[in-house]
Amino acid sequence: NAGVTQTPKFRVLKTGQSMTLLCAQDMNHEYMYWYRQDPGMGLRLIHYSVGEGTTAKGEVPDGYNVSRLKKQNFLLGLESAAPSQTSVYFCASSYRWAMNTEAFFGQGTRLTVV
Amino acid sequence: AQKITQTQPGMFVQEKEAVTLDCTYDTSDPSYGLFWYKQPSSGEMIFLIYQGSYDQQNATEGRYSLNFQKARKSANLVISASQLGDSAMYFCAMREGRGGSNYKLTFGKGTLLTVNP
């Protein structure tokens, strides 16, 4: 019963380096989301996807790119990491056609950019 | 304008007492859903309770209930008989209907609840 799995769990990057965070879900969910969590800011939506091959910008998309080539995977990329991107990143997924179903979250990725 | 407002950055409650965590929301969509999540210090996000905009009754799930006041656009979480394990960050969230294509799930900034023995 994996649910939503994020890799890696922890990462330290140097400024200017690039990396990709992987989110995988095994619940056949249409919607997938990437959030970042910063102290006092709650969870802010970076990008989301309503289905395979689709992506859309959320509240704070600058500096990030995403891809959803397969329904079960949603990748978040940082092309040139900046210290302001130090955060905890959460991936979530949910069914499309049921308003009352909750989003399921991964365990989070703690990213530090030095 | 913020979609979800949680005005209490921190709350304290004595064990076994009830506590209310406030949440107000802003939407012009007649169809929406409201969620509460718990985030303990270990970091995972745990779904607690859901309230739909068309639901006639307030949602309840065990010790959790949602005080839904549609006209005031508020969806407060009530935790009865608090336990030490309830100490956590609590987030209110909203999904708007958009004519059947609901997608974005927007969160508030959270309330840190501390339960004292």
Side-chain angles (χ1 to χ4, degrees), chain B residues 11-16 19 82-88 90 113-117:
Chain B
M11 287 282 286
F12 293 88
V13 66
Q14 287 297 122
E15 195 177 6
K16 299 181 184 178
V19 63
S82 297
Q83 302 172 355
L84 296 178
D86 293 335
S87 293
Y90 289 81
L113 176 67
T114 303
V115 180
N116 294 318

Side-chain angles (χ1 to χ4, degrees), chain A residues 31 33 35 37 40-43 45 48 50 59 90 94 96-103 105, chain B residues 31-33 35 37 39 43 45 47 50 91 95-97 100-105 107-109:
Chain A
Y31 291 169
Y33 313 85
Y35 293 90
Q37 183 179 16
M41 300 298 291
L43 278 78
L45 183 64
Y48 62 97
V50 300
E59 304 168 61
F90 283 97
S94 66
R96 177 176 185 177
W97 298 112
M99 172 75 86
N100 63 343
T101 55
E102 72 271 26
F105 281 80
Chain B
S31 177
Y32 53 89
F35 301 79
Y37 283 83
Q39 186 181 43
M45 295 289 287
F47 165 72
Y50 166 84
F91 291 101
R95 175 183 291 148
E96 294 168 274
S101 297
N102 49 87
Y103 41 91
K104 288 186 190 179
L105 186 61
F107 284 80
K109 294 185 177 183

Side-chain angles (χ1 to χ4, degrees), chain A residues 35-87:
Chain A
Y35 293 90
R36 60 177 289 173
Q37 183 179 16
D38 303 291
M41 300 298 291
L43 278 78
R44 292 182 292 171
L45 183 64
I46 305 171
H47 286 280
Y48 62 97
S49 168
V50 300
E52 182 178 314
T54 75
T55 62
K57 294 180 180 180
E59 304 168 61
V60 288
D62 294 342
Y64 305 95
N65 56 75
V66 288
S67 65
R68 183 125 180 244
L69 299 179
K70 293 183 179 180
K71 187 177 184 179
Q72 63 268 33
N73 295 336
F74 195 29
L75 278 63
L76 178 71
L78 287 73
E79 288 190 347
S80 180
S84 60
Q85 294 177 304
T86 294
S87 188

